[in-house]
Each structure stands twice: as C-alpha cells, then as structure tokens.
Amino acid sequence: MPKYFVLIFLFLFGYSTKTNAQFGFSHEVGVIVGPVAFQSDYGERHDYDTNAGNTGFGIGLIHYLNFSYKADCNCYTPETYFNDHFKLRSELSYNKTNLRHFGEYTDGDRKKLFNRQLRAMRGSTAITNIGMQLEYYPFSIREFTATTGSFAPFVSLGGQFSFYDPSAYSTLGRLNTPATTPVKYYNATQNGSGSVWSVVGSIGTRYKLSTSSDLLADLRWQYFFSNWVDGLNPNPDLYPENKANDWLVWFNVGYIYYIQ
C-alpha cells in the first residue's frame, strides 16, 4: 500500500508542475527529517517517561506552490495579499514509533501480575501519509525571497490521508490470555493495517540559505480520526482515560530547493 502513496504523490507532483506552469506559478521541492513523539493508549497521559519513551523517527518529501513568483518569466506575480503571504504544500511522509507502557503502574510492585503484564506489552506503528497544507506567512514572501540570511515564520493547517500498520505483542506470550494481558486490554489489540484521515497543524520558520534554497524548522501536531492507529484501543465506555484518539507531535528540519 505505501507504494501506491508514492505513485500518487509522483503523479500529483508531475501533474501540478505541468498544469500550474501554465498559470505562472513556481515550484519548490525538499526533504524533511526529525523525531516523532506518539501519543496513544500506551503509557500514561502527561507522563514524562511516556512522552520521552514512545518516540520514533520520520522522513518526508515536500513540494510547494509558490504564488508570488513566476518561473516561466523569472518575475514576480501581480502583488496581492494571498500571493505574498500563502504557499500550498503537498507532502509524502513516513514515520515509525516503537511503543511501551510507562508510568506508576509499570514502575510499582514488580511482583504484581498486572504490573508485570504492562511491562511486557510491546507495540509499534508505521504510518505513511499523503496530504496538503496551506501555509500562512505573516511577513512578505517577496522580501524574504530577496534577502539571504533572513527568516520567514509561518503557521499552517491541512489534512492528510494515512495508511497505518500497527503491531502489538507481549514478551510473556500470546496476548488475550490471563497470564499475559491486563483485563482492560483483552480483545483491545489489532495487528491489521488500516487507513485514516487526519488534521495537521504546524508552526515553523524558514531560513534563507541562498537565492535558490532554504532551511526549514517545523513543529507539527497531527490528530488522527481513529483510536486504532497504535493497534491498541481499550473499551472507551469502561476506560474513559483511553477514549482519546491517537495523535503525534513531529519536530522536523529540512532543506528546500527552488525550481527555476
């Protein structure tokens, strides 16, 4: 399934480049990498060890439509507020996170069965995303483009479609037995893959490295419209502390090149 995401992204990129060239838009391409903190049903909410332990790594390819510049004539577009303050970003990204339970119940009585069962549970999820975001730059994009060494802060909002592939198991043996699984996690695990929509918001900045390239730093929040992305979903009616859907925070840095 991730192969189809790659093909779709390449098709959309090629179609976008060909079509929008007729309208005079310019294009930017880049790569992003960075650590991911995954918030799920593993561990305790607002627990430092959970936040620090359930982390992974992400990588992505990005493409921008730059409305302020016309590549076909090497000139600026007519000056409007939208052209000078917005860019449209499309993206194909992948991240993977290994997951464990952390917190007071795993750190407590090490002889207690419930605690041992929690410590023995393991999980992971691999996520492939494709989607778009609209980025807003409060300061002039034209001025940033013309000034090497300058910064261009931005905020963005968009949506993505994700293909996820979770895995859940226990080092004590097969799950869903009294010897291996805490009662709240009986029949609450899933190792099958699935797909889900998500909403994405971020805050970041660009740094003008040269006339044709930028560095990027971006802090992203991604909320999934499912609680199965991590492969773990206790009954929310019985365990309201686990009712929230899965989400993640991704800090990424990247390099962007302007296609002339």
Side-chain angles (χ1 to χ4, degrees):
M1 184 63 70
K3 294 180 181 178
Y4 292 106
F5 279 71
V6 175
L7 292 175
I8 292 172
F9 180 81
L10 293 177
F11 171 78
L12 291 176
F13 172 72
Y15 179 80
S16 173
T17 302
K18 180 179 180 181
T19 302
N20 292 297
Q22 302 175 15
F23 297 96
F25 301 153
S26 61
H27 300 267
E28 306 163 11
V29 294
V31 294
I32 51 175
V33 295
V36 173
F38 199 91
Q39 304 295 309
S40 70
D41 295 309
Y42 284 89
E44 293 183 18
R45 187 179 302 175
H46 309 306
D47 178 71
Y48 174 80
D49 291 334
T50 297
N51 296 333
N54 289 335
T55 58
F57 194 77
I59 187 170
L61 301 174
I62 54 178
H63 167 259
Y64 285 91
L65 283 181
N66 186 339
F67 303 106
S68 68
Y69 187 78
K70 299 177 66 174
D72 57 349
C73 69
N74 194 27
C75 60
Y76 288 116
T77 60
E79 186 172 354
T80 66
Y81 188 84
F82 181 85
N83 288 352
D84 200 29
H85 292 273
F86 288 92
K87 291 186 180 185
L88 183 63
R89 168 175 169 171
S90 55
E91 176 182 311
L92 174 68
S93 63
Y94 172 86
N95 63 77
K96 184 173 182 180
T97 307
N98 293 321
L99 303 166
R100 293 181 60 180
H101 289 289
F102 296 90
E104 61 176 303
Y105 294 105
T106 57
D107 297 334
D109 187 352
R110 303 189 69 84
K111 295 182 179 180
K112 191 174 180 180
L113 178 61
F114 179 80
N115 293 3
R116 288 193 290 112
Q117 290 173 331
L118 282 180
R119 285 194 298 271
M121 287 189 69
R122 301 287 190 275
S124 69
T125 187
I127 307 171
T128 303
N129 308 282
I130 186 169
M132 288 188 173
Q133 297 168 249
L134 187 63
E135 291 187 351
Y136 169 68
Y137 295 78
F139 304 114
S140 171
I141 293 175
R142 286 177 171 82
E143 292 183 8
F144 168 73
T145 303
T147 311
T148 301
S150 61
F151 288 88
F154 65 86
V155 295
S156 71
L157 184 66
Q160 295 194 348
F161 184 74
S162 304
F163 175 82
Y164 60 91
D165 187 14
S167 174
Y169 67 97
S170 172
T171 59
L172 297 177
R174 182 173 58 87
L175 286 172
N176 298 320
T177 70
T180 63
T181 312
V183 63
K184 71 179 292 186
Y185 298 116
Y186 266 53
N187 299 315
T189 59
Q190 175 178 285
N191 288 328
S193 57
S195 58
V196 63
W197 289 97
S198 64
V199 60
V200 178
S202 66
I203 182 171
T205 188
R206 288 194 184 199
Y207 172 77
K208 175 56 63 177
L209 188 65
S210 69
T211 56
S212 60
S213 63
D214 298 343
L215 297 180
L216 171 74
D218 181 37
L219 181 64
R220 168 184 303 180
W221 173 78
Q222 183 174 5
Y223 178 84
F224 300 97
F225 294 104
S226 171
N227 201 15
W228 280 111
V229 179
D230 63 343
L232 191 61
N233 185 12
N235 189 331
D237 296 328
L238 299 178
Y239 307 102
E241 68 274 16
N242 293 105
K243 67 180 181 180
N245 288 342
D246 300 321
W247 54 280
L248 61 80
V249 175
W250 181 14
F251 176 75
N252 58 77
V253 295
Y255 174 82
I256 300 170
Y257 180 75
Y258 291 64
I259 301 176
Q260 301 297 330

